[in-house]
Amino acid sequence: MATSMVCLVALCLLSPLLLAGAVVGNPGYGGLFPQFYDHSCPKAKEIVHSIVAQAVARETRMAASLVRLHFHDCFVKGCDASVLLDNSSSIVSEKGSNPNLNSLRGFEVVDQIKVALETACPGTVSCADILALAARDSTVLVGGPYWDVPLGRRDSLGASIQGSNNDIPAPNNTLPTIITKFNRLGLNVVDVVALSGGHTIGLSRCTSFRQRLYNQSGNGLADSTLDVSYAAQLRQGCPRSGSDNNLFPLDVVSSTKFDNFYFKNILAGRGLLSSDEVLLTKSAETAALVKAYANDVHLFFQHFAQSMVNMGNIMPLTGSQGEIRKDCRRLNNDH
């Protein structure tokens, strides 16, 4: 009974937020629609799925990497594949930004998908749409929800390393900063918590959470919201200095399965990043969502799927804007 009460309370708090979320992802999706390639490249979705499935079979972690690639694309200038551009005479690549350097991965999988699509339907399917489809397929392949991906995005003619450094939510950002970064792009608090649930899969580097283990608020003490035995376990592989790139599961219980243990872990003081933990400790509104998702995996899946559509709808280039890149790493006129 107690559990269902928590859920009811959380859902009562949620209803106005959900309505707001529904507006962002309403039918039409800013000119995008799931059937966009049905005539111009009927096998597009099948080709993407097949290559993503092979990549995830080779390495489960790739599912999380491809979801993150879409996220880091959409938060900078919208979902326009700007994140995929390499350095060139006209481009300073987003790959060199603080959130992305030595961290963002999956580019070779995108290249492989692009080559297959260019063979099947030259100059038709955008790199931005490849990222959106690969994120959905990755989620499903590791046990998460399915959603129809609105399509028709085009690819950017530039990149923004400044945007990449400033606009992507960081592990040590305060909760108000994280919410502001989402709000600026038309996303709300439900999107913040639901999309944070993407941390149910994947790994994070020691450098992203070290301060929680040794000096959370400048007083030389560990983060008091972190479970003591979990913190001790983390310190073994994440010393005060060095070992920056040592990897740890974001979901300590089931890091290769898309489920709701991420939220259960947060309730037990076993969220890895500060940005995970603050969802519980710094706002009643986000805490209610954490508890609701921990109690109801179906609710989490439903909200995650809708929030991924909302995120995928951030400022897409459509119609004659941008271009359809032949190679996702460079502009067509750079060939």
Side-chain angles (χ1 to χ4, degrees):
M1 180 60 194
T3 329
S4 58
M5 279 307 293
V6 172
C7 267
L8 286 172
V9 172
L11 285 169
C12 295
L13 287 172
L14 290 185
S15 49
L17 290 166
L18 279 177
L19 292 172
V23 175
V24 182
N26 64 354
Y29 310 112
L32 307 178
F33 55 100
Q35 302 79 18
F36 189 85
Y37 297 112
D38 283 8
H39 298 295
S40 60
C41 192
K43 291 216 161 119
K45 294 174 197 170
E46 200 181 302
I47 290 168
V48 174
H49 182 271
S50 157
I51 294 171
V52 171
Q54 290 166 32
V56 172
R58 278 194 305 272
E59 182 199 25
T60 314
R61 181 189 176 202
M62 187 53 71
S65 302
L66 291 170
V67 171
R68 185 165 181 252
L69 205 44
H70 183 40
F71 173 54
H72 282 214
D73 179 35
C74 292
F75 266 70
V76 183
K77 297 169 69 244
C79 310
D80 60 1
S82 61
V83 74
L84 300 176
L85 290 169
D86 284 339
N87 284 318
S88 73
S89 55
S90 60
I91 300 292
V92 179
S93 174
E94 292 172 20
K95 295 176 184 180
S97 72
N98 294 325
N100 295 341
L101 188 64
N102 299 325
S103 173
L104 209 60
R105 57 201 298 278
F107 300 110
E108 295 76 12
V109 178
V110 175
D111 291 339
Q112 206 185 337
I113 294 168
K114 186 61 178 166
V115 167
L117 286 169
E118 285 301 306
T119 305
C121 330
T124 305
V125 182
S126 68
C127 301
D129 279 344
I130 290 173
L131 291 179
L133 286 166
R136 189 274 312 274
D137 291 342
S138 292
T139 301
V140 174
L141 284 160
V142 289
Y146 174 93
W147 62 93
D148 283 322
V149 179
L151 298 165
R153 299 167 192 79
R154 289 169 64 86
D155 298 324
S156 75
L157 298 172
S160 173
I161 191 165
Q162 295 84 357
S164 190
N165 277 321
N166 299 329
D167 300 343
I168 295 171
N172 57 353
N173 279 161
T174 64
L175 185 58
T177 298
I178 292 168
I179 291 171
T180 298
K181 287 180 175 182
F182 273 74
N183 285 165
R184 273 193 218 135
L185 299 171
L187 302 177
N188 64 30
V189 177
V190 173
D191 298 312
V192 170
V193 183
L195 291 173
S196 295
H199 288 171
T200 174
I201 52 172
L203 305 171
S204 180
R205 299 183 300 155
C206 162
T207 181
S208 298
F209 58 86
R210 173 184 279 125
Q211 87 286 350
R212 296 192 74 201
L213 303 180
Y214 301 104
N215 192 19
Q216 177 62 3
S217 41
N219 56 5
L221 298 174
D223 187 336
S224 60
T225 61
L226 194 58
D227 175 76
V228 177
S229 63
Y230 181 48
Q233 188 187 325
L234 293 171
R235 281 190 205 98
Q236 290 175 2
C238 186
R240 279 178 189 275
S241 63
S243 305
D244 283 8
N245 293 326
N246 283 6
L247 295 169
F248 295 79
L250 284 156
D251 169 354
V252 68
V253 175
S254 59
S255 69
T256 59
K257 186 169 192 307
F258 200 100
D259 54 28
N260 65 339
F261 268 104
Y262 165 80
F263 297 104
K264 294 179 180 183
N265 294 338
I266 290 176
L267 293 179
R270 292 161 77 85
L272 184 63
L273 307 178
S274 172
S275 55
D276 299 326
E277 194 58 44
V278 294
L279 297 175
L280 179 66
T281 55
K282 299 295 184 189
S283 148
E285 200 176 9
T286 57
L289 284 157
V290 169
K291 289 168 187 164
Y293 297 158
N295 277 312
D296 186 347
V297 70
H298 300 294
L299 181 71
F300 165 48
F301 276 21
Q302 190 187 327
H303 287 193
F304 182 82
Q306 180 62 54
S307 290
M308 285 296 282
V309 172
N310 296 347
M311 183 183 80
N313 192 36
I314 298 170
M315 298 179 290
L317 299 173
T318 57
S320 60
Q321 299 171 305
E323 66 181 13
I324 305 296
R325 283 183 219 143
K326 296 184 182 72
D327 173 343
C328 294
R329 293 173 181 265
R330 50 189 60 88
L331 305 181
N332 290 342
N333 65 8
D334 276 358
H335 279 259

